[in-house]
Amino acid sequence: GQSLEQPSEVTAVEGAIVQINCTYQTSGFYGLSWYQQHDGGAPTFLSYNGLDGLEETGRFSSFLSRSDSYGYLLLQELQMKDSASYFCAVKRGGFKTIFGAGTRLFVKA
Amino acid sequence: DVKVTQSSRYLVKRTGEKVFLECVQDMDHENMFWYRQDPGLGLRLIYFSYDVKMKEKGDIPEGYSVSREKKERFSLILESASTNQTSMYLCASRYLTGSTDTQYFGPGTRLTVL
């Protein structure tokens, strides 16, 4: 089967660093994306890893290890506005993308 | 600025009705998608289109059909709505290059079938 596993919830303190992991098992793999979704809002794109290694965009970084079928999203200097759901998504062959169930991040003061 | 719009934010329909959800993008993207989002299940792909008049089934196409007559517009049709189709429906268009795969989502349509 095809699956993406990510924790359902993570809680962290404002100013801290948090890592959200994603492991995948899919037929065909071309890249891993991350999306953020606030309550009542649409998912918005954060990052894409097509190759192994770390991609950095401001306070957010994303990492991919294809050999381990594993990636993570790293959020630094957490802010209250980072409280949201985060989805990993795998680009498969053809045009299809499969999404994980999402990780709900709670940032506490 | 990138823009994906959906015809309705909220919709209430009765069982058996035919329902049309429309999505428009202004980015000239070839790929467009329809997902449904349910708590604990993430986003599940219903159908996608890779060009005008071209479509393929996603992971949960049963009970749905789609239409793409113009590049900017992708419609989702529920032929005979049922209560288990109550959900949030999200449309997306995709920007795909060798170094990125970015989907731009519309605001979503929360559909309730009574």
Side-chain angles (χ1 to χ4, degrees):
Chain A
Q2 309 201 63
S3 66
L4 278 75
E5 298 291 330
Q6 51 181 131
S8 58
E9 283 187 12
V10 173
T11 300
V13 177
E14 199 173 15
I17 299 172
V18 72
Q19 179 174 311
I20 299 173
N21 299 321
C22 175
T23 57
Y24 58 87
Q25 182 179 359
T26 59
S27 58
F29 176 88
Y30 290 87
L32 184 71
S33 301
W34 289 92
Y35 289 81
Q36 178 192 60
Q37 185 179 30
H38 287 99
D39 284 348
T44 56
F45 173 80
L46 292 176
S47 69
Y48 175 77
N49 294 72
L51 301 173
D52 284 1
L54 193 67
E55 294 283 340
E56 297 180 80
T57 309
R59 294 187 297 113
F60 293 3
S61 304
S62 58
F63 172 82
L64 174 65
S65 169
R66 294 168 76 124
S67 60
D68 294 322
S69 298
Y70 164 76
Y72 66 72
L73 179 69
L74 192 72
L75 296 81
Q76 302 182 74
E77 300 172 17
L78 277 175
Q79 302 175 9
M80 298 298 289
K81 68 178 182 178
D82 297 330
S83 292
S85 293
Y86 293 84
F87 296 88
C88 58
V90 165
K91 175 173 176 268
R92 300 178 285 177
F95 300 93
K96 293 185 180 181
T97 300
I98 181 170
F99 283 79
T103 298
R104 181 100 179 168
L105 172 64
F106 297 94
V107 180
K108 300 190 301 184
Chain B
D1 201 16
V2 164
K3 192 94 174 166
V4 179
T5 57
Q6 295 184 227
S7 48
S8 306
R9 288 301 305 270
Y10 300 94
L11 210 52
V12 179
K13 295 292 181 180
R14 297 214 173 267
T15 302
E17 281 192 80
K18 192 167 187 176
V19 182
F20 294 86
L21 304 182
E22 291 206 318
C23 174
V24 178
Q25 52 104 354
D26 66 356
M27 296 160 284
D28 202 37
H29 290 162
E30 292 181 347
N31 298 174
M32 295 186 73
F33 302 81
W34 275 106
Y35 296 92
R36 64 177 282 177
Q37 183 174 26
D38 301 288
L41 296 178
L43 282 74
R44 292 181 292 166
L45 181 63
I46 304 171
Y47 264 97
F48 65 97
S49 169
Y50 49 94
D51 207 341
V52 175
K53 296 189 187 296
M54 307 304 283
K55 60 189 179 186
E56 279 201 28
K57 293 179 180 179
D59 299 311
I60 52 164
E62 296 78 20
Y64 304 94
S65 62
V66 291
S67 172
R68 186 130 179 242
E69 297 297 316
K70 293 185 177 182
K71 192 173 188 179
E72 67 270 19
R73 191 178 299 267
F74 190 34
S75 300
L76 179 70
I77 302 147
L78 286 67
E79 298 290 344
S80 176
S82 64
T83 55
N84 63 11
Q85 292 179 309
T86 292
S87 187
M88 171 66 85
Y89 290 88
L90 290 162
C91 171
S93 72
R94 178 197 233 165
Y95 176 62
L96 184 62
T97 70
S99 59
T100 192
D101 178 12
T102 304
Q103 293 194 28
Y104 297 93
F105 286 85
T109 296
R110 185 165 292 284
L111 172 67
T112 302
V113 182
L114 301 175

